[in-house]
Amino acid sequence: MNPIRQLGDTTVGRLPAAARWPLFLALVAMLPFLLSGVWIQMLFFVGLFIVLGLGLNVVVGFAGLLDLGYVAFFAAGAYSLGIMTSPGSPFDLNMNFWLVLPLGVLIAASFGVLLGLPVLPLRGDYLAIVTLGFGEIIRLFLVNREDVTAGSQGLSAIARPGIGSFRIETFTHWFYFILVAAVIVGFIASRLRDSRIGRAWEAIREDEDVAAAMGVNKVKYKLMAFAIGASVGGLGGVLYASFIGFINPAAFSLQVSIDVIAVVIIGGMGSTPGVILGSLVLVGFPRILQFKATADFLSKFEWLRDGLNGIIAAADTVVPGSIGRLPAASEWGRELSDDTRFIIFGALLVAIMVLRPEGLVPSRRRQLEFESDDQPVPAGGAA
Amino acid sequence: MTAAALSVRDLGMQFEGLSALADVSMEVPAGEIHGLIGPNGAGKTTFFNCLTGFYRPTAGELWLDAQRVDGLPTHVLSALGVSRTFQNIRLFANMTAIENVLVGSHIHIGVGGTDVLTARRPSKYAALERVLSLRGAPRAALQGVVELAGAVGRPPAVRRAEAEAVNTARRLLGAVGLAGKENVLARNLPYGDQRRLEVARALATRPGLLLLDEPTAGMNPQESAAMVGLIRRIRDEFETTVVLIEHQMRVVMGVCERITVLDYGRKIAEGTPAEVQRDTRVIEAYLGTRAVKEAGDGSP
C-alpha cells in the first residue's frame, strides 16, 4: 500500500501481506473452542501485555523516549475505574464501566502529558531516571493518600462491563474483549507509524535538533507520544482492574514497568509481531508453568527426580554438608515460575540481547539498522 | 516559497565570555547566492546556528523580508522558510532517502492545524508569556487530537496530501540526482549522495532562504562541479536565496554573486568575488601579514 514502507526484500511469507493479519486473528479467535479456562485466563494476561506493549512501543520504539514509569499510566487507568465504580471507594460514585473507560483513558493521557512536560528537554538516561521516579511517585501516592485511593486496603468489587443484559464475565468473554482492544490499539499504532506523525517521531528519535530544523515541532510530537502511550496504558489498567475486580497498590510496582519494557525489547522494538511473541514468552510461559496440567505432566518425571536426588545424596556422603533435595517433580513448574523465575528471566534476557540484539521479531527497520554497514541494502527495493 | 531577503543587523553571539560573533551586519537580497567564508573558527557555522534558532543570538536583529525572526524556535523558523544543511552530515541515518525528504515536507502535509500559527516572538516577560500561552493549550490539544484522528482515520484529504508529498519527494530526489535510491537507508548511501540528500531534504521544507554549510566538503573536483551546478539550478528552479559556507575557493568564486568574509567573529570584508580576492584584510586573515606585504611589493 504505502510505497515508503517497501524496504528491501519483504517477502517474509508466501501469503499476501493483507491476508496475514486477518488469518492470524481468525486463528486466535478460535482458541477458546480448543483450550480450557486456565489457558484462556493466561491468554488474557498475554493479551493485556500485548496492549501495554503496543502502547509503550509508541513511546520507546517510535519516538525513542525511554519510559521506565509506564506502570503509572496503568495504575491511573486501573484506579480511575476502581475509584469511580467500587462500592468501597472513598467517593461513592458507582459509575458505569462504559462511562469510566473513556474517562480512565483520558485521565491516563493527561498523566502522560503531565509527565511529558517536565521531561521535554531530557534525553536518554536522564529521561529514564525521571520516568522511573514518576512511576514510584504514583505508587506512593496510591499507598499514602487513603482518602482518595483507600490505601493499601485496596478497592474491591470493581465494575464489570455489560452490554444490555449480557455481562462480560467468563474468561472467554474477557479473552475476546482483550483481543478486540489489542486489535484496535495495534491498528491505531500502525496507522500512526505510517503517517507524518510517525515520521516526525522517527526523526525525533534519530536527531531531534535536525528534526526541528526540518519543521517538526518536537514539543508537540513528544507530548503526543507520551499521551498516546499513556492512554493505552490507561486502557490496559481499566481492563485489568475490571477483570481482576480488586486492586491495591502492590499490583502497581516497578516490576510492571520492567515487564512491559522487557516485552517490547525482547520482541523487537517497533514491531507488532515482536510484542505478541515477547508477551507470550515473558507473560504466558511463567503462567503455563503454574498450571495443574503442567504439574501433572511433570509428575511423570518423578524417576528423574529420584535419580538426581540419588546423585545429590551420593555427593552429600562424599563431601558432607547439607545440600537440599529436589522437590517433587510436580512442583518443578511452580518453583520455576516463582523464585527461580527471575533468574531464568534474567538469563533469557541476557541470552536474547547477546544472540539477537534486535529482538526476536525485529521490525523491518530495526533489521536494517542492525545489518552491518558494508552490506548495503539492494537499491530500489521492491518498488 | 518565494525567495526571501535576509537582513542581519549587528548580530552578536556570546558564549560565557567568548565572543563567537560580534557586530555582524549584512544584507542578502532575495534570490542572491551569497558566500560566507573565513578561516576555521571564524564563526560561520555559529552564524547559521543563530539563523536557524539552534542558538539564540545575544545581540542584534535578524529580519526575513519584513519580519523580525531572531529568537524564534527552530521549527518556526523552518516554517518561515529558513532551511539548512549541515557541515558534518546529519541525516536521519536509519530512515530511507525518501523518508528523510518526507520529514522535510512535514508541515506541508496538511493535517489539522499548522505549527506556524503558534509562532510567537519571545519577549522579556517570558514567564508571563508562558502563562498566557496556556490559553493556547486547549487549542493545541484540540489540534493534536484532530491530527491524530486524521492519521488514524486516513480520510481522502490525508491520503491525497501524503501521496502528493511522496510525489514531491521523488521529484526532489530526482532533481538532486538520487532517482532510484528512494528506499535506501540514508546511512548506506555513499558520501556524495548523503550530501545531495541533505540538500533535497532542505528543499522539501520549501525554503525562502537556504543555508548550505560546506556543501562540497570532502568531494572530489568532479563532484564539486556537479554541486555548483546544482546550487545554481536550485536558486533558479526553486526560487530561493542561498547563503553558503565554503572553503573551496574555486566553488566560492564560481558560484557566489557576493561574498562576506568573517574572521574571529567579525565581518572583515564584503563584496563581489573579485573585490574580496583583492582585499588586503582578507589575504591577511587567510595567509598572514607577510603575504600581504609580498603581495603589495609584487603589485605596481
Side-chain angles (χ1 to χ4, degrees):
Chain A
M1 289 277 288
N2 196 337
I4 354 154
R5 284 287 150 192
Q6 295 172 350
L7 301 162
D9 184 18
T10 59
T11 46
V12 180
R14 279 171 198 81
L15 276 170
R20 252 177 255 151
W21 280 111
L23 191 71
F24 174 72
L25 289 172
L27 287 175
V28 170
M30 283 195 290
L31 284 176
F33 300 105
L34 306 171
L35 297 170
S36 61
V38 278
W39 284 86
I40 298 304
Q41 186 195 22
M42 179 274 282
L43 285 177
F44 170 83
F45 281 103
V46 170
L48 178 68
F49 272 81
I50 289 172
V51 170
L52 295 176
L54 288 172
L56 187 63
N57 210 359
V58 170
V59 187
V60 179
F62 295 176
L65 305 162
L66 186 52
D67 183 353
L68 293 182
Y70 198 59
V71 67
F73 313 122
F74 183 58
Y79 266 87
S80 297
L81 187 73
I83 290 171
M84 289 186 221
T85 68
S86 166
S89 122
F91 312 92
D92 199 17
L93 296 168
N94 280 319
M95 288 164 77
N96 182 288
F97 174 88
W98 296 111
L99 200 65
V100 184
L101 180 68
L103 268 179
V105 170
L106 213 62
I107 290 169
S110 42
F111 269 96
V113 175
L114 204 69
L115 167 68
L117 279 173
V119 302
L120 279 173
L122 302 181
R123 301 177 196 194
D125 325 356
Y126 304 99
L127 179 68
I129 293 294
V130 175
T131 53
L132 190 71
F134 186 72
E136 277 303 283
I137 289 171
I138 297 292
R139 194 181 62 80
L140 289 173
F141 179 87
L142 297 180
V143 174
N144 293 321
R145 285 305 297 270
E146 293 184 9
D147 51 335
V148 182
T149 65
S152 43
Q153 261 188 308
L155 296 162
S156 54
I158 294 168
R160 293 207 149 174
I163 305 159
S165 60
F166 175 77
R167 308 213 67 77
I168 296 180
E169 261 162 354
T170 67
F171 288 154
T172 311
H173 296 162
W174 276 105
F175 170 80
Y176 285 116
F177 196 19
I178 202 86
L179 182 64
V180 170
V183 169
I184 291 173
V185 171
F187 175 77
I188 290 176
S190 81
R191 274 292 170 95
L192 288 179
R193 189 194 55 207
D194 292 343
S195 70
R196 78 163 196 160
I197 300 174
R199 272 197 307 272
W201 282 335
E202 248 171 80
I204 288 172
R205 194 188 80 195
E206 291 286 315
D207 189 332
E208 59 176 78
D209 296 324
V210 180
M214 295 303 128
V216 174
N217 184 345
K218 56 185 184 185
V219 171
K220 175 175 154 189
Y221 286 99
K222 278 186 179 184
L223 287 181
M224 227 182 231
F226 275 120
I228 296 285
S231 15
V232 176
L235 173 71
V238 170
L239 297 181
Y240 169 79
S242 182
F243 174 78
I244 291 285
F246 168 79
I247 50 172
N248 71 354
F252 303 96
S253 63
L254 173 65
Q255 189 60 41
V256 179
S257 298
I258 294 186
D259 282 348
V260 181
I261 215 149
V263 162
V264 172
I265 293 175
I266 294 268
M269 256 197 264
S271 142
T272 307
V275 168
I276 295 171
L277 193 65
S279 185
L280 270 173
V281 171
L282 294 185
V283 181
F285 191 62
R287 281 173 195 279
I288 292 174
L289 285 179
Q290 290 174 319
F291 287 173
K292 188 164 175 301
T294 314
D296 291 347
F297 174 73
L298 283 172
S299 62
K300 288 180 197 156
F301 291 90
E302 203 62 39
W303 55 270
L304 183 61
R305 176 206 176 216
D306 291 341
L308 288 172
N309 272 348
I311 296 170
I312 293 171
D316 228 5
T317 51
V318 177
V319 188
S322 97
I323 308 175
R325 300 291 185 272
L326 287 171
S330 57
E331 293 295 306
W332 286 358
R334 196 165 301 141
E335 294 270 327
L336 274 179
S337 63
D338 280 353
D339 306 342
T340 343
R341 174 174 147 216
F342 294 106
I343 299 174
I344 296 176
F345 238 53
L348 193 69
L349 275 172
V350 171
I352 289 177
M353 286 300 104
V354 169
L355 299 173
R356 277 185 82 83
E358 71 273 36
L360 292 175
V361 193
S363 66
R364 221 150 45 214
R365 172 168 310 286
R366 287 280 153 169
Q367 228 166 339
L368 290 175
E369 283 171 31
F370 275 91
E371 268 173 20
S372 81
D373 287 34
D374 44 33
Q375 287 179 299
V377 177
Chain B
M1 194 171 276
T2 49
L6 171 71
S7 173
V8 180
R9 295 173 198 169
D10 303 318
L11 189 75
M13 184 72 220
Q14 192 97 20
F15 295 106
E16 309 258 332
L18 173 82
S19 177
L21 286 174
D23 301 322
V24 175
S25 297
M26 62 192 269
E27 299 284 335
V28 182
E32 184 174 272
I33 299 182
H34 195 98
L36 192 61
I37 63 171
N40 287 329
K44 305 181 295 288
T45 299
T46 305
F47 180 75
F48 273 18
N49 284 342
C50 287
L51 274 179
T52 48
F54 279 45
Y55 299 154
R56 178 177 288 201
T58 49
E61 297 173 7
L62 292 170
W63 291 76
L64 204 63
D65 287 332
Q67 190 175 7
R68 190 171 166 190
V69 297
D70 53 276
L72 290 175
T74 305
H75 70 273
V76 175
L77 277 162
S78 168
L80 292 172
V82 183
S83 195
R84 72 176 290 182
T85 66
F86 296 85
Q87 184 181 357
N88 46 337
I89 300 171
R90 285 174 79 174
L91 287 165
F92 304 121
N94 293 313
M95 298 171 80
T96 61
I98 197 164
E99 282 175 323
N100 268 275
V101 180
L102 284 169
V103 172
S105 39
H106 178 80
I107 64 160
H108 302 293
I109 302 173
V111 185
T114 65
D115 305 335
V116 192
L117 296 175
T118 58
R120 189 183 283 127
R121 279 195 41 70
S123 70
K124 285 176 187 165
Y125 308 101
L128 180 68
E129 182 146 306
R130 231 173 277 142
V131 175
L132 284 178
S133 73
L134 272 181
R135 269 195 345 211
R139 192 183 65 163
L142 183 68
Q143 281 181 359
V145 170
V146 169
E147 185 175 343
L148 286 170
V152 174
R154 236 181 247 174
V158 172
R159 283 170 199 269
R160 218 177 306 124
E162 188 78 9
E164 253 170 50
V166 170
N167 279 338
T168 313
R170 285 186 188 283
R171 203 168 49 76
L172 282 171
L173 285 173
V176 299
L178 288 175
K181 298 190 178 174
E182 284 87 356
N183 295 324
V184 183
L185 284 191
R187 63 171 198 176
N188 289 341
L189 285 170
Y191 183 82
D193 285 355
Q194 293 193 351
R195 285 232 172 263
R196 280 199 285 273
L197 178 56
E198 271 215 325
V199 173
R201 183 180 66 179
L203 285 174
T205 66
R206 301 185 200 165
L209 172 65
L210 180 61
L211 309 172
L212 302 173
D213 200 342
E214 298 198 28
T216 67
M219 285 185 169
N220 64 34
Q222 287 84 4
E223 288 173 321
S224 294
M227 183 57 86
V228 166
L230 178 62
I231 294 170
R232 285 216 189 86
R233 265 178 47 218
I234 286 170
R235 192 262 309 268
D236 299 338
E237 288 175 27
F238 294 89
E239 292 185 40
T240 170
T241 309
V242 179
V243 177
L244 78 149
I245 294 174
E246 192 46 79
H247 277 302
Q248 294 193 35
M249 284 306 140
R250 187 197 306 251
V251 174
V252 181
M253 298 304 163
V255 73
C256 296
E257 283 141 5
R258 284 190 324 130
I259 293 168
T260 299
V261 190
L262 292 180
D263 190 25
Y264 291 111
R266 287 173 182 278
K267 186 169 92 170
I268 57 168
E270 190 171 52
T272 62
E275 286 166 2
V276 166
Q277 264 175 318
R278 282 196 303 271
D279 195 302
T280 48
R281 301 222 318 185
V282 176
I283 301 167
E284 198 179 299
Y286 269 92
L287 302 170
T289 38
R290 229 184 85 203
V292 179
K293 272 192 207 121
E294 279 167 13
D297 291 344
S299 63

